[in-house]
Amino acid sequence: MKKIVITGAAGFIGSNLTDRLINEGFFVYGIDNLITGSLDNLSHLSSDNNFDFINHDVTKHIDIKDKIDYIFHFASPASPIDYLKYPIQTLKANAIGGHNALGLAKKNNAKFILASTSEVYGDPLVHPQKESYYGNVNPIGPRSIYDEAKRFIESMTISYHVYHKLRVSIVRIFNTYGPRMKINDGRVLPTFIKQAVNNEDITVNGDGTQTRSFCYIDDLIDAILQLMNSEYSYPINIGNDDEVTINEIAGLLISILKSQSKIIYTQLPEDDPLKRKPDLSLAKKILNWNPKISKEEGFKLLVEYYKKNNLI
Ligand code: UDP
């Protein structure tokens, strides 16, 4: 049986990935220090013979005696309020934690898969964003904590590939949503859903003309599974290219939830990207992958998850 290490296994994406890999017949060691992840996301696996949870901070040496075939480095606070609450930990989880995970991969001659981000493009001046775009990042702005951490670990990952011949994949994840996304993580979908369900004011930052493109978690996980067996080592965008304004998101959720909420406008946070949409041509070419779930379908699934778990 092939064995996998997932750092950040108790997080939104890490736990969905863990489930899928166990279903595919792998043994998973899930590592998390639980600062932003939650054991609730893994409780259904507590008696699963193909899963072992390790409560560990990846910035400390990662010691696993078993032979490992794949290492997924997904540990990092990821939502703006989380990484602003844990700035140094975020930088370290990526830079030092990522280096430790690469070291473990090298020791095992395992394939290494890095969770990177569309944030490497910063507030992009090129639209839609292609992998060849170098980005527009303020290196000392509030978002640099996350952006620069991911840019550093991309560079480190490529260096392990070039200098140590390690097999690697780098997935630049665009805005992703779905079950296990924290209701209070401050991101736009959980925040607006909670506000709309309770008929509270919907807090649109700025004038709401900024755009994002939202990908359902299952589409992302499909792409990651294909990437894991791909020989392509350079970054690949994964997301959905259905670009919408934040105003449109507010309107859509008001309509789906038949809400009485009104929209109010608040200040746009510093360096909040004005546009974001992945160019997916590389993913289509290399992985023959396309996102399948529309925002209308996916938003309903997210609402159902929050309702079923009494979170709204
Ligand atoms: N946003 C908003 N109101 C909120 C939360 C977020 O208007 O209550 C905006 C935010 O300023 C950004 C967009 O929604 O322009 C997406 O924000 P999110 O934090 O979900 O993701 P990211 O900015 O990291 O893509």
Side-chain angles (χ1 to χ4, degrees), residues 11-281:
F12 159 48
I13 297 179
S15 65
N16 278 288
L17 182 60
T18 298
D19 279 350
R20 187 65 179 275
L21 289 166
I22 290 173
N23 280 341
E24 297 282 327
F26 293 96
F27 182 97
V28 174
Y29 286 99
I31 303 180
D32 208 297
N33 67 352
L34 303 175
I35 64 165
T36 56
S38 166
L39 276 185
D40 292 347
N41 292 335
L42 298 171
S43 54
H44 58 289
L45 297 175
S46 57
S47 55
D48 196 309
N49 291 333
N50 293 329
F51 180 68
D52 203 354
F53 179 70
I54 304 169
N55 187 334
H56 180 73
D57 176 349
V58 288
T59 65
K60 309 281 184 311
H61 181 76
I62 307 170
D63 187 24
I64 295 201
K65 301 274 179 283
D66 235 346
K67 172 86 182 74
I68 301 299
D69 299 288
Y70 297 89
I71 296 176
F72 289 80
H73 185 57
F74 279 60
S76 175
S79 91
I81 58 164
D82 280 348
Y83 63 69
L84 290 170
K85 186 168 171 200
Y86 299 109
I88 312 296
Q89 290 97 322
T90 301
L91 285 154
K92 287 172 71 179
N94 285 287
I96 301 170
H99 186 216
N100 285 336
L102 279 161
L104 184 67
K106 181 166 168 266
K107 185 175 110 185
N108 283 275
N109 193 22
K111 166 98 190 243
F112 180 83
I113 298 102
L114 174 68
S116 186
T117 172
S118 55
E119 289 279 335
V120 300
Y121 303 121
D123 188 5
L125 305 176
V126 164
H127 195 74
Q129 292 80 54
K130 265 188 190 302
E131 290 83 353
S132 53
Y133 177 48
Y134 294 167
N136 176 38
V137 174
N138 173 354
I140 53 162
R143 294 179 90 100
S144 68
I145 292 158
Y146 190 64
D147 303 7
E148 295 291 14
K150 291 293 188 188
R151 287 168 70 101
F152 174 86
I153 195 59
E154 279 200 3
S155 172
M156 182 73 97
T157 300
I158 289 297
S159 299
Y160 266 70
H161 172 63
V162 172
Y163 298 107
H164 293 315
K165 309 288 172 237
L166 192 72
R167 285 168 302 130
V168 306
S169 289
I170 299 174
V171 49
R172 285 189 179 152
I173 302 172
F174 282 65
N175 294 67
T176 299
Y177 68 96
R180 306 203 186 124
M181 183 174 210
K182 287 190 291 182
I183 189 76
N184 289 324
D185 83 351
R187 287 205 256 207
V188 67
L189 292 177
T191 307
F192 285 7
I193 288 171
K194 198 172 166 196
Q195 290 167 337
V197 163
N198 295 308
N199 296 313
E200 291 165 2
D201 289 343
I202 293 195
T203 51
V204 169
N205 296 341
D207 64 6
T209 58
Q210 71 272 31
T211 67
R212 295 291 186 274
S213 310
F214 295 90
C215 182
Y216 191 68
I217 183 76
D218 293 0
D219 282 332
L220 170 74
I221 303 290
D222 283 348
I224 293 173
L225 258 76
Q226 290 195 42
L227 200 53
M228 138 185 204
N229 296 315
S230 153
E231 291 305 311
Y232 189 77
S233 308
Y234 288 85
I236 298 195
N237 291 338
I238 299 294
N240 192 310
D241 51 8
D242 177 10
E243 183 185 14
V244 274
T245 66
I246 298 306
N247 281 327
E248 284 166 337
I249 293 295
L252 184 58
L253 290 173
I254 288 174
S255 134
I256 289 176
L257 293 163
K258 300 187 178 39
S259 168
Q260 305 297 317
S261 293
K262 305 265 168 302
I263 294 176
I264 58 163
Y265 291 90
T266 57
Q267 208 184 351
L268 191 69
E270 189 182 344
D271 293 336
D272 196 289
L274 294 181
K275 279 170 169 254
R276 181 181 294 152
K277 170 183 170 172
D279 181 317
L280 296 175
S281 41

